[in-house]
């Protein structure tokens, strides 16, 4: 944390300056979405506004972490920015030149919208509640958002497959489910440990925990179906249906992330 000598607070100049990186990242994400929508796209991922936005947002999150003294994952503003960042990172990992490049069109919008929504919210630094002051909290939230990011990339890839097909798109969408499920599972384990230290129980049946379990079961079932040999699958379970289910999973994620947190009162409410 960067204190003001003798005051014990955060330097106002530094507290405001770090937001410059937030606005620059928003501009980069906006440029990415605009260029993709009009059909202009650089050939290399490192030469895109999206990649620049990831670097700028990483700087913003790092500075905010240093200023606040805790992981920038509390409140709706920070949650939306981390969500946007993880969606962008997942897209850069899974998508590239060739068949999967078309996924950058819907994905750039999925990256831009949370960042744009965050721009409308209160951006002040806030202290951390004692129950959140543990590495298990940062691990839980960070891994969960990384899972959300991969599920968002899966939505974009699934939509592209339903429109154009392509074996490379299908494989990338499968990776999005595997990577997202792995990260999300790790987040749930860390969340259980955090809950034990905070409330004395690994599971307390809040609405968010119940819906998190629904997300976990949804993608666990999808992964299981991918392991069944083609000739033994359910009648009618085709690649197109699988990609439709993969894309629809993003709706379940949004309902868990925003719907439950904003509409229902629980320990996970914003």
């Amino acid at each position: 944390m960067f204190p003001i000598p003798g005051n014990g607070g955060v330097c106002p100049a530094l507290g405001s300056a770090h937001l410059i990186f937030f606005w620059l990242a928003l501009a980069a994400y906006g440029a990415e979405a605009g260029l993709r929508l009009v059909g202009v796209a650089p050939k290399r991922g490192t030469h895109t506004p999206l990649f620049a936005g990831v670097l700028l947002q990483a700087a913003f999150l790092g500075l905010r972490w240093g200023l606040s003294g805790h992981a920038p994952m509390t409140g709706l503003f920070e949650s939306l920015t981390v969500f946007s960042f993880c969606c962008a990172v997942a897209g850069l990992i899974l998508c590239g030149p060739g068949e999967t490049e078309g996924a950058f069109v819907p994905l750039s919008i999925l990256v831009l919208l949370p960042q744009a929504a965050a721009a409308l919210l209160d951006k002040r630094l806030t202290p951390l509640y004692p129950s959140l002051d543990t590495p298990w909290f940062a691990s839980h939230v960070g891994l969960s958002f990384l899972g959300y990011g991969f599920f968002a990339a899966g939505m974009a890839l699934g939509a592209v497959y339903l429109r154009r097909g392509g074996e490379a798109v299908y494989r990338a969408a499968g990776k999005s489910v595997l990577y997202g499920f792995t990260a999300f599972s790790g987040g749930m384990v860390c969340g259980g440990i955090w809950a034990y230290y905070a409330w004395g129980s690994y599971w307390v049946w809040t609405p968010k925990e119940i819906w998190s379990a629904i997300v976990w079961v949804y993608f666990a079932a999808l992964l299981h179906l991918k392991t069944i040999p083609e000739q033994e699958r359910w009648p009618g379970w085709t690649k197109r249906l699988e990609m439709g289910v993969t894309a629809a999973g993003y709706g379940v994620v949004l309902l868990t992330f925003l719907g439950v947190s904003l509409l229902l009162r629980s320990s996970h409410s914003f």
Side-chain angles (χ1 to χ4, degrees):
M1 188 173 184
F2 304 109
I4 301 175
N7 193 27
V10 175
C11 175
L14 287 173
S16 300
H18 84 288
L19 291 174
I20 295 174
F21 290 96
F22 168 83
W23 292 110
L24 290 174
L26 175 60
Y29 293 151
E32 176 76 19
L35 290 173
R36 295 288 179 179
L37 288 173
V38 299
V40 179
K43 294 183 178 180
R44 294 179 58 186
T46 55
H47 291 177
T48 62
L50 182 67
F51 184 77
V54 166
L55 295 180
L56 290 165
Q57 194 150 3
F60 160 71
L61 293 172
L63 286 172
R64 193 172 181 88
W65 193 326
L67 288 166
S68 64
H70 60 78
M73 302 175 188
T74 61
L76 186 55
F77 168 72
E78 292 180 349
S79 296
L80 287 173
T81 59
V82 174
F83 182 40
S84 178
F85 176 74
C86 289
C87 290
V89 170
L92 291 174
I93 291 173
L94 293 172
C95 306
E99 291 182 2
T100 59
E101 187 174 7
F104 278 119
V105 177
L107 186 63
S108 64
I109 298 173
L110 297 180
V111 170
L112 174 63
L113 288 179
Q115 188 84 346
L120 304 176
L121 300 175
D122 186 356
K123 303 168 186 62
R124 288 176 295 180
L125 295 166
T126 56
L128 195 66
Y129 290 110
S131 62
L132 307 182
D133 192 12
T134 167
W136 293 112
F137 165 73
S139 301
H140 162 61
V141 178
L143 287 170
S144 297
F145 275 121
L146 184 59
Y148 290 165
F150 280 115
F151 294 147
M155 184 270 186
L157 288 161
V160 170
Y161 184 88
L162 290 175
R163 183 180 177 184
R164 305 176 186 173
E167 192 60 28
V169 178
Y170 176 78
R171 290 196 301 269
K175 290 179 181 178
S176 75
V177 176
L178 176 60
Y179 297 167
F181 179 77
T182 302
F184 190 75
S185 298
M188 290 188 69
V189 172
C190 293
I193 298 173
W194 165 46
Y196 178 79
Y197 284 114
W199 298 290
S201 175
Y202 292 103
W203 190 269
V204 291
W205 293 104
T206 65
K208 187 63 170 284
E209 286 173 295
I210 294 172
W211 274 94
S212 293
I214 292 174
V215 172
W216 190 89
V217 171
Y218 184 99
F219 286 100
L222 181 55
L223 274 178
H224 174 71
L225 288 170
K226 289 182 69 66
T227 65
I228 301 176
E230 191 75 31
Q231 65 273 16
E232 298 177 10
R233 290 182 176 177
W234 296 343
W237 181 254
T238 63
K239 287 184 176 180
R240 287 187 61 82
L241 179 58
E242 180 186 334
M243 291 297 97
V245 173
T246 300
Y250 183 69
V252 183
V253 167
L254 278 187
L255 184 58
T256 302
F257 169 42
L258 291 177
V260 175
S261 297
L262 292 174
L263 300 178
L264 300 176
R265 292 186 60 84
S266 75
S267 58
H268 292 79
S269 298
F270 294 121

